[in-house]
Amino acid sequence: MKILILSCNTGQGHNSAGNAVKEALEVLGVTCDMADALSFSKHSGTSDLISGAYVKIVSKVPLVFGGIYKAGDIISSPRFRSPIYLANSFSAARLAEYIKNGEYDGVVMPHVFPAETLTKIKRKGTARVRTYAVATDYTCSPFWEETKPDFFFIPHTDLAYEFASKGIPMEKLIPAGIPVSPKYSVKIPKEAAREKLGLPTDATVFLIMSGSMGFGDISGVTSELLRLMGDKPTRAMIMTGRSEKLKARIAEDFGEDERVIAVPFTREVPLYMDACDVLLSKPGGLTSTEAAVKQVPFIHTKPIPGCETKNAKFFSSHGMSVYVKRQSDAAIAAAALASDEKAREYMTEKQRELMPKNAAESIAKFIIYDILKNS
C-alpha cells in the first residue's frame, strides 16, 4: 500500500497535520510520500508566490485577509465551481500523471487546494485513487464543500452539522479529530520537564507562542504580564522560532532580565508545554489541538480574522480555553488563569473529555481499512 499526502505552505498547520498522518501510517507499515500540491503547477515558483503572498497578507494586513475569508464564505457553494477550483484544476493533468506513475492507492489532503485538484481529476477519470480530506480548523472553511473526497475527517462531532449544512454528505464525515504528532499524547510531569529545561520549580511559567505567521505585540504582552505578576517568581518563555528579528527585539526590550527567555526554533515544543503553567497563543487549529491534547491551560489571543476566530469560539465555548478579543487583555487573562487553580483544573478536564488524543492513528487505520475494502 502506498499513500500520497498533499499539503501547501500557507501556514505550517497543514503540513503538521499531514506529517502526523504520514508518521501514523508509516508506523503501521504503509509507504508514504508527502508533496507540496502547488508544486504541480505549470508555472515554476507558483508555490513560493502564493504561500509568500498568503503569509504577508495574514501577518501584515489581517483585516484584508478577514475580508477575503468572508467573501469566500459568501461565494463558496457546492452548486457551482469557484475561481479557487478553476485555479487548482490547471494542475490536474500533472498531478494525475504523478499519482499514476507513483502507483498510489490513496491521497490525503490536509488543505483545500489539493482537494480541489483531486476533485477535477476524479471528475475527468484520469487517475483511480481513494481520496481523504482532513480539516485543520474547527469550522468548515470556504470551498471545502465543492470538493468530492471519498471521506472527510473533521475535528469534532459537534461540527458535523456545520459541514453537512454546507452540502458535504453526512455519511462521508468522520469526526476523528485533527491529527497531531504522538509526542503531544505523552505527558511529562511538570517538575521533570522544568528540570530538563533548567527552569525553577517554584516559578509561575508562561509559554508565549508566536506561530508561524506572528503573534502580535509580544513585548507589550510580556511586559504587562511581568508587571501583573509583581514580585512573584515568574518566567516568560517566548517561542521566537526562526525569526532573528523577533529574537533581537526580545533581547533589546528585556536585556538580561532572567524572567524572559527567548526560545529559538526547537522540536521540543511538547516539553515546553509540559513545563508551563499557562500558554498564550493565537488560535491556529493545530497549535490549539496540540495544547488541548497536552492538557495545557491556555489563552487564545487575538486571532487572524476568519477560521482562527471560529477556532477560538469553539474552544472557549467548550471550556477548553479563554478567548480574549483584544491583545491588551491577554496578559490580564493569563495572570488571572495562572492564579486560579480550579479554573485550570476545569479547563484541562474539559480538554481531556472532549479532545481526541490519537486522531492521527485513527485516521491512518481508517484509511488502510477503506483502501483494502475497495481494492
Side-chain angles (χ1 to χ4, degrees), residues 55-367:
V55 171
K56 284 182 179 179
I57 290 172
V58 299
S59 60
K60 303 295 184 183
V61 282
L63 290 178
V64 172
F65 177 79
I68 295 171
Y69 187 94
K70 285 182 180 179
D73 241 347
I74 292 170
I75 68 172
S76 182
S77 169
R79 297 189 298 274
F80 61 86
R81 300 170 191 174
S82 71
I84 302 298
Y85 173 85
L86 296 175
N88 284 287
S89 69
F90 290 134
S91 58
R94 285 174 173 241
L95 182 54
E97 190 68 18
Y98 184 85
I99 290 169
K100 286 192 292 183
N101 291 340
E103 299 182 339
Y104 293 104
D105 300 291
V107 180
V108 179
M109 304 160 294
H111 197 289
V112 70
F113 287 175
E116 298 271 33
T117 309
L118 262 297
T119 297
K120 173 71 172 182
I121 289 171
K122 296 195 84 170
R123 279 176 173 155
K124 296 282 287 185
T126 50
R128 293 178 57 84
V129 65
R130 300 293 288 176
T131 56
Y132 310 92
V134 180
T136 57
D137 287 294
Y138 290 79
T139 185
C140 184
S141 299
F143 310 115
W144 272 124
E145 60 264 40
E146 63 183 13
T147 67
K148 304 294 180 183
D150 290 301
F151 286 99
F152 204 130
F153 298 107
I154 62 174
H156 197 276
T157 186
D158 288 357
L159 296 167
Y161 176 76
E162 178 189 344
F163 279 81
S165 69
K166 294 292 186 71
I168 301 172
M170 186 69 80
E171 62 271 17
K172 287 189 174 187
L173 301 176
I174 312 296
I178 293 180
V180 300
S181 169
K183 294 178 182 179
Y184 292 93
S185 299
V186 179
K187 190 146 184 84
I188 298 173
K190 187 177 295 183
E191 294 75 14
R194 291 188 180 186
E195 183 178 352
K196 287 187 176 184
L197 296 173
L199 296 168
T201 57
D202 63 339
T204 300
V205 177
F206 299 93
L207 178 60
I208 303 173
M209 299 185 70
S210 63
S212 63
M213 291 174 289
F215 168 93
D217 183 13
I218 292 181
S219 289
V221 170
T222 303
S223 295
E224 180 63 10
L225 195 53
L226 296 177
R227 187 189 70 79
L228 291 168
M229 294 303 292
D231 295 331
K232 297 175 184 177
T234 304
R235 293 292 184 274
M237 304 184 297
I238 302 171
M239 292 286 186
T240 59
R242 292 190 171 92
S243 175
E244 291 299 322
K245 182 179 179 181
L246 177 57
K247 183 179 177 181
R249 176 67 185 271
I250 298 304
E252 179 182 344
D253 290 344
F254 298 100
E256 300 300 320
D257 191 335
E258 67 173 6
R259 296 174 298 172
V260 180
I261 304 167
V263 182
F265 176 79
T266 176
R267 300 190 186 280
E268 297 295 334
V269 174
L271 182 63
Y272 282 89
M273 285 189 177
D274 282 325
C276 78
D277 292 295
V278 174
L279 166 69
L280 294 90
S281 172
K282 70 183 187 68
L286 261 292
T287 301
S288 300
T289 304
E290 290 164 350
V293 169
K294 264 293 183 187
Q295 294 164 30
V296 178
F298 67 107
I299 307 296
H300 269 141
T301 59
K302 184 179 179 181
I304 296 170
C307 55
E308 287 196 353
T309 303
K310 295 183 178 181
N311 291 340
K313 288 180 178 179
F314 180 89
F315 272 77
S316 60
S317 67
H318 286 73
M320 294 189 291
S321 77
V322 172
Y323 170 33
V324 294
K325 297 181 180 180
R326 296 187 302 178
Q327 195 80 53
S328 58
D329 292 334
I332 297 171
L337 185 58
S339 65
D340 191 337
E341 185 176 357
K342 287 187 177 180
R344 297 198 308 275
E345 289 177 351
Y346 174 81
M347 188 179 292
T348 54
E349 180 56 36
K350 283 296 182 182
Q351 293 169 352
R352 187 181 303 111
E353 174 189 336
L354 298 170
M355 190 57 51
K357 276 184 169 291
N358 302 304
E361 181 182 358
S362 298
I363 290 171
K365 288 180 177 179
F366 185 98
I367 289 171

